[in-house]
Amino acid sequence: MAFRRVRGTRDFLPDEQRKRIWIMDRIKEVYERYGFEPLESPALETFETLSNKQSQETLEEIYSFKDRGGRLIGLRFDLTVPLARIVGSNKSLPKPFKRYCISRAWRYERPQAGRYREFYQADADIVGVKGMEADAECLACAVDALRSLGFKDFEIRLNNRKILTGLALDAGIPEEKVPEVFRALDKLEKIGEENVIREMRSAGITNEQIDKIMGFAAMSGDNYNILEAVKECGNEISLEGVVELERLLELCGMYGIDKYIRVDLSLVRGLAYYTGPIFEVYVKGWESLGSCAGGGRYDELIGLFGDDNPVTGISLGVDRIYEIMEKEDMFPEEMVRKVYIAPVGDVEQESIEIAQKLRSSGINTELGLKDRSLSKQLSYCNSKDIRCVLIVGEKDLKDGKVTLRDLRSGEEKKINIDNIVKEIAMTGAQES
């Protein structure tokens, strides 16, 4: 009988998991530097909570089941809906409430490159701020997080749901059909313009209406020129969206991140709860993998669970970031350095004492636990790319010494046990 993983899920062996943890730690450091606080929620939510104001497409992606009490339960499909529930049921939270969460989510969709059924997101959200100041801070935080990981060449695509709604209504599209236009336009990069047009036609959108929408979606050039073009033919709704983006662009200039921003009127983002600015981040050369981050403003979502609160946020996709970094060889050469203690002979007690001394000093230390020859222990260290080895032998111990060997250079020296922490620190064997 073959035991297999559930489709769309993965195991992470130590080398890979170490890198993933390194990514999440770097993101966490940046989030906390911006004043975001940690928050966690259950993986399980009631289906009623998860399905609140979601599109049919999203509902079909929710993993759901009945528990033994007959209650309909689901696995969270993002980290945003749980945040809305928590804020809605905790009215005493001081505002603005800035939270981050780095955790798992699940969606039942077709697994493919960069897309899994179980995945990690790193969210940062600001609750209680109506102005674009919150959106700009989320974008600046995401830029700093990506730069801290080593990314330099990436682009933030920016749009506003109000602009999209206003343009669609101005084109004569009935209000009830606007969500169908959004769903089709959201697939532009996945299925191409011809198929998007075909979907719009099947939804009853006329060729004239389609031409207007696709004309705006194809616009490119200077960010402010694009927004000026919307002003010339936009209605009250789209003009409100333009004003918001103009202010957001101004703030991004203050943060020094405007060079990353490109206004893209084809950007939709599939989730139904967005109400204002929306954004996605793409790494240059890796656009085919999809966005590595995305988010936007969703002012009405918390109101479905309690009092109204304006909210905006961004989510970094840990899995796609990992894939790009791995293929681009972006990880530091030594992410977590450690010492291996190789006992040779009857030196068990002394080896344990040395290991505990190093560990209490903050040095990651692996102690050889099997009775193996020195050559086999060194071979083991090479297989795990452990650079620093302390050889503990009976003869050296009589002189109060051990042997420190660098497996990369082949150099070794005798060191006094009393100075062992200092000597190890000088080799850079501590956690980086």
Side-chain angles (χ1 to χ4, degrees):
M1 178 179 180
F3 292 95
R4 300 184 178 91
R5 297 188 309 269
V6 174
R7 188 167 183 246
T9 66
R10 293 156 296 158
D11 299 314
F12 303 116
L13 297 179
D15 284 345
E16 182 176 357
Q17 183 64 357
R18 187 177 293 113
K19 293 174 182 176
R20 292 170 60 85
I21 291 172
W22 185 87
I23 290 172
M24 291 185 272
D25 284 347
R26 300 291 84 71
I27 295 173
K28 173 186 172 184
E29 288 171 4
V30 174
Y31 283 176
E32 294 194 342
R33 211 153 53 225
Y34 274 75
F36 291 90
E37 299 181 292
L39 182 71
E40 185 56 272
S41 64
L44 298 173
E45 297 278 356
T46 67
F47 188 79
E48 182 181 15
T49 295
L50 294 173
S51 61
N52 211 345
K53 202 182 178 182
Q54 300 303 329
S55 67
Q56 184 60 36
E57 187 175 1
T58 300
L59 293 177
E60 291 173 358
E61 291 178 352
I62 297 174
Y63 275 95
S64 60
F65 58 92
K66 285 187 177 181
D67 65 12
R68 292 181 181 179
R71 294 170 287 263
L72 191 57
I73 304 295
L75 287 169
R76 63 189 180 201
F77 61 85
D78 68 6
L79 306 177
T80 303
V81 172
L83 170 66
R85 175 186 56 75
I86 290 169
V87 173
S89 58
N90 289 272
K91 299 178 182 180
S92 62
L93 286 171
K95 307 297 188 306
F97 177 57
K98 300 174 68 175
R99 89 82 163 92
Y100 75 86
C101 181
I102 303 175
S103 198
R104 283 185 175 101
W106 295 263
R107 292 181 191 173
Y108 189 80
E109 54 186 352
R110 184 171 66 86
Q112 53 188 296
R115 190 179 295 273
Y116 306 96
R117 289 177 173 174
E118 179 183 61
F119 52 93
Y120 273 83
Q121 291 182 310
D123 283 23
D125 297 81
I126 301 177
V127 180
V129 179
K130 288 184 178 180
M132 296 296 99
E133 294 82 6
D135 302 72
E137 177 138 312
C138 286
L139 288 175
C141 183
V143 167
D144 276 355
L146 289 171
R147 290 193 296 209
S148 77
L149 294 169
F151 289 97
K152 297 177 182 178
D153 199 8
F154 54 89
E155 177 182 74
I156 300 172
R157 300 180 189 177
L158 179 65
N159 200 3
N160 193 310
R161 275 292 181 90
K162 293 174 184 176
I163 291 177
L164 288 169
T165 300
L167 292 176
L169 294 175
D170 200 56
I173 297 172
E175 186 174 354
E176 66 273 11
K177 289 187 178 294
V178 170
E180 295 183 64
V181 172
F182 284 0
R183 279 194 291 274
L185 191 58
D186 189 44
K187 301 174 185 176
L188 186 59
E189 288 201 356
K190 297 178 185 176
I191 65 175
E193 182 177 332
E194 185 177 330
N195 289 316
V196 167
I197 291 172
R198 186 179 292 113
E199 283 200 15
M200 288 186 184
R201 283 176 181 154
S202 67
I205 311 303
T206 68
N207 287 337
E208 183 181 357
Q209 293 166 342
I210 291 172
D211 288 343
K212 286 184 179 181
I213 291 297
M214 298 306 292
F216 276 103
M219 288 185 68
S220 61
D222 179 80
N223 291 332
Y224 287 99
N225 288 344
I226 293 174
L227 296 180
E228 283 298 323
V230 176
K231 281 183 182 180
E232 290 177 8
C233 59
N235 58 20
E236 186 178 344
I237 299 172
S238 58
L239 290 178
E240 185 179 342
V242 168
V243 170
E244 289 180 349
L245 288 198
E246 287 178 334
R247 172 59 175 158
L248 183 51
L249 288 171
E250 179 187 14
L251 288 162
C252 287
M254 297 179 190
Y255 276 102
I257 63 169
D258 51 323
K259 66 180 181 180
Y260 298 105
I261 307 290
R262 177 171 72 85
V263 172
D264 179 359
L265 297 185
S266 71
L267 178 64
V268 178
R269 292 198 58 77
L271 294 169
Y273 51 62
Y274 289 116
T275 59
I278 49 177
F279 22 83
E280 288 186 346
V281 185
Y282 289 82
V283 176
K284 298 288 183 67
W286 291 94
E287 290 87 352
S288 61
L289 191 64
S291 63
C292 68
R297 181 164 283 272
Y298 51 103
D299 286 344
E300 298 173 5
L301 186 59
I302 291 179
L304 300 175
F305 300 96
D307 294 339
D308 283 333
N309 272 285
V311 198
T312 191
I314 193 162
S315 176
L316 273 65
V318 173
D319 304 281
R320 288 184 183 172
I321 287 172
Y322 169 83
E323 287 194 32
I324 296 171
M325 291 185 67
E326 181 70 8
K327 290 173 182 174
E328 292 283 350
D329 195 23
M330 293 172 62
F331 290 102
E333 185 177 352
E334 291 182 273
M335 301 180 57
V336 179
R337 300 168 182 153
K338 67 179 178 182
V339 176
Y340 180 89
I341 295 178
V344 180
D346 187 15
V347 292
E348 183 178 47
Q349 180 175 336
E350 294 85 351
S351 297
I352 290 173
E353 289 173 355
I354 292 171
Q356 292 300 88
K357 183 177 182 178
L358 293 174
R359 290 163 178 164
S360 65
S361 298
I363 298 173
N364 295 339
T365 306
E366 180 175 352
L367 173 62
L369 300 176
K370 293 180 69 175
D371 185 16
R372 293 190 288 187
S373 67
L374 178 60
S375 62
K376 287 186 177 180
Q377 292 188 76
L378 295 178
S379 177
Y380 168 80
C381 290
N382 280 319
S383 71
K384 296 190 66 177
D385 200 26
I386 298 173
R387 170 183 176 181
C388 186
V389 178
L390 275 178
I391 302 170
V392 182
E394 295 176 86
K395 184 177 179 181
D396 284 343
L397 284 176
K398 291 178 181 178
D399 297 326
K401 297 178 183 292
V402 293
T403 299
L404 175 60
R405 180 180 294 186
D406 185 328
L407 292 187
R408 292 194 184 166
S409 66
E411 297 178 359
E412 68 176 39
K413 61 180 177 179
K414 306 289 185 184
I415 60 174
N416 290 322
I417 292 177
D418 293 340
N419 297 330
I420 199 167
V421 172
K422 182 179 177 181
E423 292 281 355
I424 293 295
M426 290 173 62
T427 69
Q430 297 145 301
E431 183 177 0
S432 58

